[in-house]
Each structure stands twice: as C-alpha cells, then as structure tokens.
Amino acid sequence: MTSATFVFLSGALSFGAPMAVAVYEIVALRRGRRGGDDDRGRPPTPGPKPLPDCLQPHVLLARPRMRLFEDA
C-alpha cells in the first residue's frame, strides 16, 4: 500500500465515519419535522411537579422579629 493510499484511508476512517454519523443524525432529526403538525398524536407534556413540603419556602406573614439590644 502506498503512503498516499494509507493517508487517504486513514483520513476517511478518522473523519468520514463521524461525519457520516453526524449527517445521518441531522437527516433523522429533520425527517420528523416534515408533514406538518407532529403534536396531534402525542399526549401533552405534563408541567413541572410541585416541590415537596420540605423544600417549599415558608413566608412568615406574622409580625417581623424585633431585635432586642441590651446594654453592654
């Protein structure tokens, strides 16, 4: 095998295979967008779940705490 053939095949293997996979992924992503509205058959996505009680901020609506200063 000549050096030029080796360089060509090495470059094709190094850059060609990842490039082919990337092109395939782009084509697959675009294929789903054709044909108009794709959301007709899908159920609506649920909203975010509420926080558990231990993580919810509690706002004290009662009177604010007053600092008591003592003489030093």
Side-chain angles (χ1 to χ4, degrees), residues 23-34:
V23 168
Y24 172 76
E25 291 293 328
I26 291 173
V27 169
L29 284 174
R30 288 188 181 178
R31 192 177 301 156
R33 293 184 183 172
R34 289 185 193 162

Side-chain angles (χ1 to χ4, degrees), residues 3-4 10-11 13 15 18-19 22-23 27 34 38 43 49-50 59 66 71:
S3 61
S10 176
L13 184 61
F15 300 112
M19 187 64 72
V23 168
V27 169
R34 289 185 193 162
D38 287 340
K49 293 181 180 179
V59 178
M66 299 291 289
D71 292 333

Side-chain angles (χ1 to χ4, degrees), residues 2-71:
T2 65
S3 61
T5 306
F6 178 76
V7 169
F8 175 74
L9 292 176
S10 176
L13 184 61
S14 296
F15 300 112
M19 187 64 72
V21 171
V23 168
Y24 172 76
E25 291 293 328
I26 291 173
V27 169
L29 284 174
R30 288 188 181 178
R31 192 177 301 156
R33 293 184 183 172
R34 289 185 193 162
D37 191 13
D38 287 340
D39 294 335
R40 277 189 246 159
R42 295 182 188 171
T45 56
K49 293 181 180 179
L51 290 174
D53 290 335
C54 63
L55 293 177
Q56 288 186 357
H58 295 287
V59 178
L60 299 175
L61 296 177
R63 62 181 183 177
R65 285 188 169 177
M66 299 291 289
R67 285 189 172 180
L68 298 175
F69 297 107
E70 297 180 6
D71 292 333

